[in-house]
Amino acid sequence: MGSNAVDTNLSIEIDRYVTIGEINALKTTLSASLVSNSTVVIQAKHVQTIDSAGLQLFVAFANTLKGLNSSLQWQDPSRELLEAAELLGLAEALGLESRLEEEKEEEKEEDDLLPVF
């Protein structure tokens, strides 16, 4: 017997600041997107500042999505978000480890292009 579930894609754009002061509003936005069998795409290119509370909220959100047979995808995560996730050891939990590797490879390529004096 097949499933009648329909995959849904939801997109959320994140503001520049993801800190404890903004957590309640962000939690409300994220909670509204908790739907079974969905993919939530977080557009995070504008994130400039993120603290541990913001990262913890994203980890809890990702874990909740897994429980709903849903998934989290990142679109253009900012360097600040990637660095904070790596620093706190949360890149894997957030599904950002491959993005970190890409970012490091791009940095290495940029460094290779710089002249040495």
Side-chain angles (χ1 to χ4, degrees):
M1 186 152 114
S3 171
N4 292 330
V6 176
D7 285 338
T8 305
N9 288 327
L10 304 166
S11 183
I12 300 171
E13 188 166 344
I14 304 300
D15 291 330
R16 286 184 271 178
Y17 304 105
V18 185
T19 62
I20 197 163
E22 291 80 21
I23 290 300
N24 286 333
L26 180 57
K27 182 179 178 186
T28 300
T29 300
L30 295 176
S31 294
S33 68
L34 291 173
V35 179
S36 294
N37 300 312
S38 67
T39 299
V40 178
V41 179
I42 295 184
Q43 300 172 4
K45 65 182 174 187
H46 299 295
V47 174
Q48 294 177 356
T49 303
I50 185 164
D51 63 10
S52 59
L55 287 167
Q56 289 171 354
L57 178 62
F58 284 134
V59 169
F61 180 67
N63 289 337
T64 301
L65 284 173
K66 287 178 189 173
L68 293 171
N69 197 30
S70 296
S71 63
L72 173 63
Q73 291 181 359
W74 295 92
Q75 181 177 350
D76 301 324
S78 69
R79 178 175 283 180
E80 292 80 3
L81 171 62
L82 293 172
E83 289 175 354
E86 181 180 38
L87 181 66
L88 294 178
L90 297 174
E92 185 176 345
L94 291 170
L96 290 169
E97 64 277 2
S98 63
R99 298 294 185 113
L100 270 167
E101 291 172 16
E102 291 172 13
E103 182 78 18
K104 287 179 181 179
E105 189 61 35
E106 287 175 15
E107 285 178 9
K108 184 180 182 307
E109 289 173 8
E110 288 173 8
D111 288 345
D112 290 346
L113 296 176
L114 294 175
V116 178
F117 296 100

